[in-house]
Each structure stands twice: as structure tokens, then as C-alpha cells.
Amino acid sequence: MSQHFLEEERNVKVTDKWADLPPQLLQDWPGELTNGKLWEADLERHRLEEDQQISSWLRLGLRVGEGQQVFLIGSLNTQAPSTMASRGGGRGRGRGQLTFNMEAVGIGKGDALPPPTLQPSPLFPPLEFRPVPLPSGEEGEYVLALKQELRGAMRQLPYFIRPAVPKRDVERYSDKYQMSGPLDNAIDWNPDWRRLPRELKIRVRKLQKERTTILLPKRPPKTTEDKEETIQKLETLEKKEEEVTSEEDEEKEEEEEKEEEEEEEYDEEEHEEETDYIMSYFDNGEDFGGDSDDNMDEAIY
Amino acid sequence: MTQAEIKLCSLLLQEHFGEIVEKIGVHLIRTGSQPLRVIAHDTGTSLDQVKKALCVLIQHNLVIYQVHKRGVVEYEAQCSRVLRMLRYPRYIYTAKTLYSDTGELIVEELLLNGKMTMSAVVKKVADRLTETMEDGKTMDYAEVSNTFVRLADTHFVQRCPFVPATENSDPGPPPPAPTLVINEKDMYLVPKLSLIGKGKRRRSSDEDATGEPKAKRPKHTADNKEPIPDDGIYWQANLDRFHQHFRDQGIVSAVANRMDQIFRSLPVGYNISKQVLDQYLTLLADDPLEFVGKSGDSGGGMYVINLHKALGSLATATLESVVQERFGSRCARIFRLVLQKKHLEQKQVEDFAMIPAKEAKDMLYKMLSENFISLQEIPKTPDHAPSRTFYLYTVNILSAARMLLHRCYKSIANLIERRQFETKENKRLLEKSQRVEAIIASMQATGAEEAQLQEIEEMITAPERQQLETLKRNVNKLDASEIQVDETIFLLESYIESTMKRQ
């Protein structure tokens, strides 16, 4: 009997009345229905209960003869609740007693039983039969190619969020020429904000020092809606650790927020124009010479 | 959700959306409905990252949100929807078979982007098709629109729930999140658009290596300035409709196999006439598969396709074939026997299957331990004494199907992990070969000599080439296996769903 059923359930939560008992002891338990751990399989347990077929996966432990252990795994019917009670009564009365009729199940007297399994089944059990060949042919090939293509395509879409590149210890000159990711952590694509909860919108933020140079004229009187919006923005500002909004800066920042969102376009272009060189032409030369580390049979000229 | 399903979801999310989305997604699947702050706190990710991830997940219909009292918005993940990502290639291929390349690209765009407006889809697909056409030819928007309308009419694409238009202006502050509604009759209504235009071909001078931004690209192109006629009306792929199609396909092919058998047993030279068709149907109705049932004689006899039974047969056939492939044909014989006779004793199994007792016992226990077969106790006496109880072997199709489904999820997770492992092992080599290819391509574009190309190609040594070949073969095999297992998953899920609905 293989115990690989047990092996599969190892990931499963275990509600264990006898959790502190060493496993060896559990094997010596007199033959009883629930002689071991009561595996609470979150393996669709609730669905199985709906079925009214199985209340839980149980492990039968038997003692056969002396020193030999047989483990039989089966599912029991909840229609036999009284069996539990009757078996409880037989506990400890005699070690040779079994929970069911051996002959009926098919183990004759004196039959050689398979050796006990004392460890989990091997990770890669030997394959007895060759697997069926995979579908080949036009349809199979096409769907396969599609799958691989889709995988590649999805990595390139803006929905694929890469973790932020960790900042290097020293600021490097080449950093100016490499645009990595969208500005200020915002997302690359434009969802329809009317369909999404407002809290999900990330306000694009500019660094404080860039803004101080922008002198702002007086803004027209705000409507009530604007006030709400700006209060909302202030709340989101408060959440950001970088910025501490003080009472004096409140008004200035409100104005700057409004200004900045309108001027976003301008600022981005300006940022792009900061460098005189076309970004894509820059090659920081890090890849040069670092490739062929192996098999240095040929001399490098 | 079982551990196996959660693991599989985690792998899928990570492969398609990256680690951040994966972390948030898996957390939501595990813990259920949660608000934004709690997610950020529990996962230990910054609020911004969580927001980004949630936007992506909501866009792709993997997470929904609900406004609770006091304005708290809670987010909930849909595990089963994440698992559908395995089936994307199959949906796209189906669209191709039904509506040719145009349909294929429409469905592909919708699946890749989650939801889109019709005008956006039409434009994108027209552009893509134009790329593949000969120089000078372009794809007209009208043609793409037509295909889109046909897809909507046959329910393969449907409208997403939308923000209801409020007639009176809201006196109070706007809600933290809109409540989206949709009713049945609106779901397939195509807005009246007059999309005029042709696909644009991407000019070669604009082509840069992917990922690098173009210099001085104008921020607002002309398209953005034009008002979008169907603003706010989003479409998504209707996966259930595809599932219906797969199910019908499965049944048709099973019946076709059957018909083949019957047909071959008939004498040659039969020409199909109405009478013969009648006979065929009667045969099918009497067929033990019970796919077709006869209900009444009105109009010459009405034949009904018993879907639940059909799905049950398909699921059973799957189980049988799994037993056969795993344990051998003798075990399969025993399994079919027990299936047919419903309940059998140990002795009876040996007799009916004509297999010696020891072997029969061994096989039965093997199947028992893997839960294909179960034991049923029938007590003879009220005290349930073991010596006076019948122990019968039986096959509970529903629970066996569930067990097999669970195994399938595990298998796919293993397949994906192995594939990722293989790719990671050879990462260096893969990158090198990609670089070499890029160099060759650029050199060919600028017109290089044969000798130079030869030199570059030799940068990859023969054993390395071998390694690449092996890698490619393995990855292909693993991918094809994934697709195959997903088909089994579909069958089993359909059967389980159909059974649960009837109860």
C-alpha cells in the first residue's frame, strides 16, 4: 500500500487532537478507526459534506498479527455512526481485534502482507506505464505557439508591473539617460477612472525642489467641488511619507497641485529635452566584454 | 479554495503580471474581501504598489470591489477567473476557427487588455491586420466592425457593467466607488458607431527595441483629442459562451466517434436517406451512452440531448482512461466493471473480471488508495459488527471527479514550475542567443556579407546549439502538456458544475 495519498495531504491543515504525540506512538495505537490524525482536508471538505458522503478523510489503522502494520485508506459512510461508538467500546480490550472482517475485504489468513511503509513515498515514483503522446498536428502546434506568444506579449504590456529597480549606492551619470519606468510610480496605462474607486488613483507627484521655481498667480475662487478634491488630495498627501504638509504650505501646495497637473505635459517634455541626446542611442557599455566568461580557449585580441 | 488552486493562481499571476500583482492577488484569494489599507498592511507592500496591482487586477476582471458602509471599499478576488487564464489560447483558437483571423485578433485583444471600447478594439485590430498584409494594402475598419458585431450577436463578447448615468446631480460628495450595473438586454447591444478608417502600418523608422521610449514622441497625438463616440461602453470576452461551445464540441466529437463505430458496422453501400437518419437517431437513443433521449412522438419524434448525462459520460470516460494509463488495462477492466455494476464484493470482482484473486486484490487496493474506488459498508446486523458487514467496492463518480480535478491543478502547477526552472537554468544561454539573433537581424537589414553573418552565427558553439534545441523541445512539451491538462480540467469542472446545479 502506498502512502502517497498521505504525502499529498501534507500541505493540508491538520486539526490534531494528538498533535504532541510522536508519530511512532500513533502507529502502535490499537486498531481503531480514528487511530491517528484527523485530517481536516480543506480539500473541498465543505463540498464533500454537502454530498453527505464523507465527513472527513480518515485513515484506518489496523494491527495484523504481530509487528506488521497495514494501513488501509478508505472513505466511510456517515450512515454508520454507531460503528464509532461500538468500536470505542472495544478499545484496549485486545490488540488482535480488527475493525472489520478481513475475509470480506479479501485478506486471507496467513497471506503475506506487503511491507509497512515507514517513510513518505519518493518524490519521483517510478513510472510504470509510458505516458500517452501529446497532441501534435496543426491545431496542437498552433495553440502551442499561441500560448508562448501570449506569455511573451503579456510581459511587454503595461499591466506587467515590475518591482522597482533598487537604487544604486551612488548616483551615476548614466541614470540621467536611462528612463526606467514611469515617473513617480504612476501606472503606464490609462484606465477609465470613472469605473474605479477613487482611492486607487495615484496622484502624480513632482519633487519639491522642482516646484519652488514655479511662481503661481492667484487662482480663481474655488468651487465647493474643488475644495473637496483638494482636501482629498491633501489626505493622500498625508499618507505619503516623503511629504509633510504643514499649515503654511497647505494653500501653496493646493495651488501647486492644480498647476502641476495642468503643466504635466509641459514638464514631461521639458524633462525629455533636458538631455541633448536621444535616449535610445545611449549605450552605457556595461555589456561589453562581460559575456564570454566560459571556454576561454581562444585568445582575445 | 484548495492549496493546489491557490498555488496555481500564484504561478499564473506571476507569469502574466509580475510579482507585485501576484502577491496582492494571492493574498486576496486567501483572505477574501479586504479594504485597501488592510491589504497594504498585511502584505507589507507600499500603498502605491497595492493601488497599481489592484488597478491591473480590476481591469482584467480578476478582482471586484464593493462599497460597504461608511464608505469603505472592499476588494475581492475571483480565484476561478484567474484559473481561466490557462485557457486563453483555446479561446483565441476557437475564435479563429469560427471568425477567422479578424475574430481571433479581436478576442486576443480583449483578453490581453481585460476590457476595451469597441472603437479601440477595431482600431487596434485593423492596425495589426494591416501589418500582416502586403505592402500597400490596408484593413478597413468596417470589416473589423462587422466581425465584432457578429461576435456580439453570438454572445462571444459582451458588455461590461457600466456606471449608471445619474439624472439629478448628486447633492452630497460623490461615492468613493461607482456601482456598476448591467441588465440582460443591454449585454449584447452594439452601439451605433460609424467607424471610418483604415488600419495604419507602423513605419519602420519608428521601430525601436521594445521597452525603450521614443525620443521626443509627441505626447498628445491627434487621436486623443477626438471625442470617443462610445466612451464608457466597454466590452469583454464572454468566457461562459466559449465554454458552452467547448462542451458542445466535446459531445459532438464523442457522438461522431460513436457514429463512426455504428457506421462501420453497417453494410457498405447505404446511402443516407431520411429513413436511415431516423434509424440512426433511434440507435443513438437506445445507445447506452444515453446522449440522446426520445421525448414524445410529436412531429415524428422529438429527440432531446441530455446534457447532464452527456457530461457525465465524458467525465466517466476521462476517469476510465486515466485509470487505464496509470494502472494498466487490467485495472481498467476492473474499474469499468465496478462502474457498470455499481456495487461489487471482493469475490464478485474476481469472478466477473476473471482475474486471479491476489492480483485483483492488489489492483483494487491500488485504486482504493488513490481514491478512484471507494468502499461502502452495508451492515447486516444493527451492531455493525465487522464480521457481519458487507464491504462493497463502488465508484462514486462525483468524488472521483473532484479528486482527479484536484490532481490536475497540482499537475499544471508542477508543469509550470518545471518550465520556469528549465528556463531559469538556461537563462544565460537564452539571452546570448537572443543577442546574436538581434545582431544578425540588424546586420541583414543593413546588408552584410555572407561571411560576416557566418562569423556571428559561430558565436554560438555546437554544443550550445544542442542545449538550446533540447531546451526548446522540453519547454514545448511542457507547454503542450499544460494545454492538454487544461482540457481535462474543463471537462471535469463542467461535469461537477452540472451535477451541483441539479442538486
Side-chain angles (χ1 to χ4, degrees):
Chain A
M1 311 298 139
S2 63
Q3 270 205 329
H4 56 250
F5 172 69
L6 211 62
E7 156 72 16
E8 281 167 40
E9 295 301 279
R10 246 154 242 269
N11 301 334
V12 154
K13 278 185 297 187
V14 171
T15 51
D16 213 327
K17 289 192 258 174
W18 303 286
D20 38 2
L21 291 178
Q24 200 55 40
L25 201 63
L26 292 173
Q27 287 181 7
D28 289 342
W29 208 268
E32 192 179 0
L33 225 51
T34 59
N35 83 326
K37 297 170 191 257
L38 203 73
W39 297 97
E40 183 168 71
D42 63 343
L43 157 74
E44 297 136 300
R45 185 179 96 110
H46 62 288
R47 287 196 231 159
L48 293 170
E49 281 184 331
E50 277 172 43
D51 272 351
Q52 288 158 17
Q53 295 289 326
I54 299 156
S55 60
S56 54
W57 292 104
L58 299 177
R59 192 181 74 184
L60 277 173
L62 320 166
R63 209 133 223 264
V64 179
E66 303 210 295
Q68 288 227 332
Q69 315 259 311
V70 171
F71 286 88
L72 229 139
I73 296 160
S75 60
L76 296 178
N77 212 308
T78 48
Q79 285 160 16
S82 54
T83 51
M84 309 280 231
S86 63
R87 286 188 186 119
R91 189 196 314 199
R93 223 186 275 158
R95 286 196 139 202
Q97 291 209 340
L98 291 173
T99 50
F100 58 86
N101 186 1
M102 269 198 348
E103 281 132 25
V105 187
I107 311 172
K109 266 221 169 90
D111 258 354
L113 290 161
T117 35
L118 299 166
Q119 56 189 335
S121 52
L123 203 54
F124 293 106
L127 209 58
E128 287 167 10
F129 299 94
R130 292 211 67 193
V132 184
L134 292 164
S136 57
E138 220 184 283
E139 184 182 332
E141 301 278 332
Y142 190 82
V143 180
L144 180 63
L146 241 182
K147 183 175 209 287
Q148 294 175 331
E149 206 186 284
L150 269 178
R151 210 168 36 231
M154 289 200 91
R155 292 187 81 93
Q156 303 299 331
L157 286 176
Y159 308 114
F160 194 96
I161 302 181
R162 287 163 218 276
V165 179
K167 288 215 167 79
R168 289 211 274 205
D169 43 0
V170 179
E171 228 183 76
R172 290 174 197 251
Y173 181 74
S174 62
D175 282 347
K176 234 198 323 185
Y177 293 84
Q178 283 177 341
M179 296 246 287
S180 52
L183 303 162
D184 284 338
N185 259 352
I187 44 186
D188 271 338
W189 50 289
N190 278 324
D192 190 346
W193 293 111
R194 296 168 293 181
R195 296 175 61 94
L196 293 170
R198 284 183 309 174
E199 60 184 8
L200 288 184
K201 189 159 185 178
I202 301 172
R203 309 287 179 208
V204 179
R205 317 249 314 110
K206 294 278 184 202
L207 293 172
Q208 187 66 347
K209 44 182 188 246
E210 283 185 33
R211 278 199 266 152
T212 46
T213 53
I214 304 168
L215 285 173
L216 308 167
K218 288 203 177 48
R219 301 260 97 201
K222 304 187 192 89
T223 59
T224 44
E225 216 195 309
D226 279 355
K227 265 226 172 74
E228 304 267 24
E229 219 185 294
T230 45
I231 290 176
Q232 195 80 8
K233 283 184 208 160
L234 286 176
E235 284 179 14
T236 50
L237 282 177
E238 274 181 72
K239 288 176 202 164
K240 302 215 192 268
E241 290 166 330
E242 307 165 301
E243 208 76 17
V244 177
T245 56
S246 59
E247 290 298 314
E248 301 110 30
D249 289 339
E250 224 183 62
E251 209 172 336
K252 185 176 172 202
E253 284 196 10
E254 280 178 15
E255 293 175 346
E256 282 182 19
E257 281 272 338
K258 288 193 85 72
E259 174 78 273
E260 156 224 304
E261 281 188 15
E262 283 172 28
E263 287 201 30
E264 210 179 282
E265 176 189 340
Y266 170 72
D267 277 340
E268 280 186 31
E269 281 186 6
E270 202 184 64
H271 180 76
E272 281 194 14
E273 286 177 28
E274 248 179 55
T275 62
D276 292 334
Y277 305 97
I278 300 177
M279 295 292 206
S280 53
Y281 286 4
F282 184 79
D283 169 25
N284 68 0
E286 278 189 331
D287 299 330
F288 181 76
D291 298 335
S292 46
D293 301 330
D294 58 339
N295 282 349
M296 304 293 275
D297 294 327
E298 304 149 355
I300 300 178
Y301 298 103
Chain B
M1 285 300 137
T2 65
Q3 286 293 91
E5 285 170 298
I6 297 178
K7 172 99 177 108
L8 187 50
C9 287
S10 151
L11 285 168
L12 286 171
L13 284 175
Q14 183 212 20
E15 244 188 0
H16 294 106
F17 297 114
E19 283 172 10
I20 300 175
V21 176
E22 182 257 332
K23 199 170 5 168
I24 309 296
V26 168
H27 175 78
L28 276 175
I29 293 175
R30 277 215 173 95
T31 54
S33 190
Q34 282 199 333
L36 181 63
R37 300 296 207 104
V38 181
I39 300 174
H41 177 264
D42 284 350
T43 56
T45 36
S46 75
L47 212 57
D48 271 354
Q49 306 274 50
V50 179
K51 287 181 191 176
K52 276 200 266 188
L54 284 173
C55 284
V56 170
L57 287 167
I58 295 177
Q59 173 75 8
H60 282 84
N61 310 308
L62 302 172
V63 158
I64 55 169
Y65 62 82
Q66 259 189 318
V67 186
H68 287 258
K69 52 183 189 286
R70 285 196 280 147
V72 174
V73 181
E74 287 198 352
Y75 302 92
E76 195 177 329
Q78 323 243 300
C79 178
S80 51
R81 179 61 181 81
V82 179
L83 293 174
R84 294 299 146 260
M85 291 180 73
L86 280 168
R87 225 164 273 163
Y88 281 7
R90 209 172 160 197
Y91 299 138
I92 299 174
Y93 182 72
T94 306
K96 187 189 176 78
T97 53
L98 294 173
Y99 296 102
S100 85
D101 288 344
T102 320
E104 177 194 0
L105 287 183
I106 291 178
V107 173
E108 188 179 323
E109 283 299 320
L110 280 176
L111 285 173
L112 280 180
N113 289 292
K115 24 170 120 63
M116 289 170 87
T117 58
M118 178 171 166
S119 40
V121 175
V122 168
K123 183 170 180 307
K124 201 115 185 259
V125 172
D127 286 345
R128 277 181 76 175
L129 284 170
T130 309
E131 289 282 326
T132 62
M133 291 166 99
E134 302 156 4
D135 277 332
K137 291 202 170 173
T138 51
M139 174 58 91
D140 201 47
Y141 281 9
E143 202 178 316
V144 182
S145 293
N146 279 342
T147 316
F148 192 96
V149 171
R150 281 165 67 201
L151 277 168
D153 283 340
T154 44
H155 297 316
F156 279 107
V157 301
Q158 70 187 43
R159 272 174 58 166
C160 304
F162 51 89
V163 186
T166 46
E167 283 115 23
N168 49 337
S169 56
D170 232 343
T179 355
L180 304 172
V181 297
I182 184 108
N183 52 7
E184 279 291 323
K185 56 183 171 64
D186 285 341
M187 250 204 261
Y188 306 103
L189 264 182
V190 181
K192 299 252 182 309
L193 303 172
S194 55
L195 290 166
I196 304 170
K198 295 196 197 301
K200 290 184 194 49
R201 199 183 291 271
R202 218 172 30 159
R203 288 186 311 245
S204 51
S205 60
D206 282 347
E207 270 170 48
D208 287 319
T210 48
E212 289 184 301
K214 303 192 179 91
K216 314 218 182 166
R217 174 177 38 166
K219 277 292 150 182
H220 292 292
T221 57
D223 311 282
N224 289 17
K225 284 283 195 282
E226 283 167 15
I228 309 167
D230 60 346
D231 190 32
I233 304 180
Y234 291 91
W235 295 80
Q236 62 185 355
N238 182 0
L239 301 188
D240 285 330
R241 177 70 183 86
F242 280 101
H243 292 165
Q244 262 181 41
H245 182 83
F246 295 155
R247 190 195 59 206
D248 297 341
Q249 258 186 336
I251 296 179
V252 164
S253 66
V255 172
N257 281 338
R258 207 64 175 190
M259 291 287 261
D260 254 357
Q261 286 177 4
I262 299 171
F263 197 73
R264 266 183 249 130
S265 63
L266 290 174
V268 190
Y270 252 61
N271 37 359
I272 309 287
S273 65
K274 192 152 180 259
Q275 262 189 327
V276 184
L277 186 63
D278 212 14
Q279 284 183 355
Y280 270 142
L281 285 170
T282 326
L283 270 169
L284 271 175
D286 290 334
D287 191 279
L289 269 187
E290 289 185 357
F291 274 19
V292 181
K294 190 161 182 181
S295 80
D297 281 313
S298 55
M302 276 240 296
Y303 290 95
V304 188
I305 296 192
N306 192 336
L307 269 178
H308 172 70
K309 287 243 172 69
L311 286 172
S313 306
L314 284 172
T316 316
T318 312
L319 284 167
E320 277 175 25
S321 100
V322 170
V323 170
Q324 173 139 1
E325 296 307 323
R326 263 214 173 230
F327 303 116
S329 43
R330 297 187 116 185
C331 261
R333 195 154 91 217
I334 296 182
F335 185 77
R336 273 195 285 269
L337 190 67
V338 181
L339 202 60
Q340 193 184 14
K341 305 272 185 188
K342 304 277 189 270
H343 296 276
L344 280 179
E345 269 189 338
Q346 169 78 34
K347 197 91 187 25
Q348 288 173 307
V349 171
E350 294 164 21
D351 291 338
F352 282 129
M354 294 177 288
I355 291 176
K358 218 187 222 162
E359 279 181 40
K361 220 188 310 169
D362 191 37
M363 291 180 185
L364 275 170
Y365 285 146
K366 230 192 299 188
M367 287 194 281
L368 194 64
S369 71
E370 305 240 356
N371 293 301
F372 284 100
I373 284 188
S374 42
L375 264 180
Q376 168 96 25
E377 295 184 355
I378 301 192
K380 284 193 240 190
T381 55
D383 67 348
H384 294 269
S387 54
R388 291 188 291 275
T389 331
F390 284 118
Y391 290 92
L392 300 175
Y393 292 101
T394 180
V395 177
N396 183 338
I397 304 183
L398 186 62
S399 67
R402 283 217 175 99
M403 179 276 300
L404 193 57
L405 184 62
H406 185 247
R407 247 166 122 149
C408 283
Y409 289 138
K410 279 193 177 163
S411 314
I412 294 202
N414 287 346
L415 284 167
I416 296 180
E417 286 235 41
R418 181 72 200 194
R419 177 169 46 79
Q420 287 180 343
F421 172 76
E422 294 270 329
T423 318
K424 212 188 307 191
E425 284 269 292
N426 296 288
K427 192 166 138 173
R428 224 203 90 254
L429 189 58
L430 268 173
E431 283 176 358
K432 180 172 174 187
S433 85
Q434 275 172 0
R435 254 201 307 270
V436 167
E437 272 173 32
I439 295 175
I440 292 183
S442 65
M443 283 181 75
Q444 273 177 340
T446 57
E449 304 152 8
E450 196 51 50
Q452 286 178 310
L453 288 174
Q454 197 82 4
E455 225 181 86
I456 302 288
E457 274 194 23
E458 273 167 22
M459 276 173 68
I460 303 184
T461 64
E464 279 181 339
R465 247 179 241 286
Q466 190 78 351
Q467 212 177 333
L468 276 171
E469 269 301 311
T470 320
L471 173 67
K472 192 172 160 78
R473 206 176 39 238
N474 287 345
V475 168
N476 281 353
K477 232 191 267 193
L478 290 166
D479 264 330
S481 311
E482 273 179 54
I483 296 173
Q484 187 70 4
V485 179
D486 180 59
E487 284 186 22
T488 312
I489 286 184
F490 171 71
L491 256 171
L492 294 170
E493 271 178 352
S494 306
Y495 167 68
I496 293 173
E497 197 186 313
S498 158
T499 316
M500 297 317 289
K501 259 197 262 205
R502 288 172 136 239
Q503 291 189 356

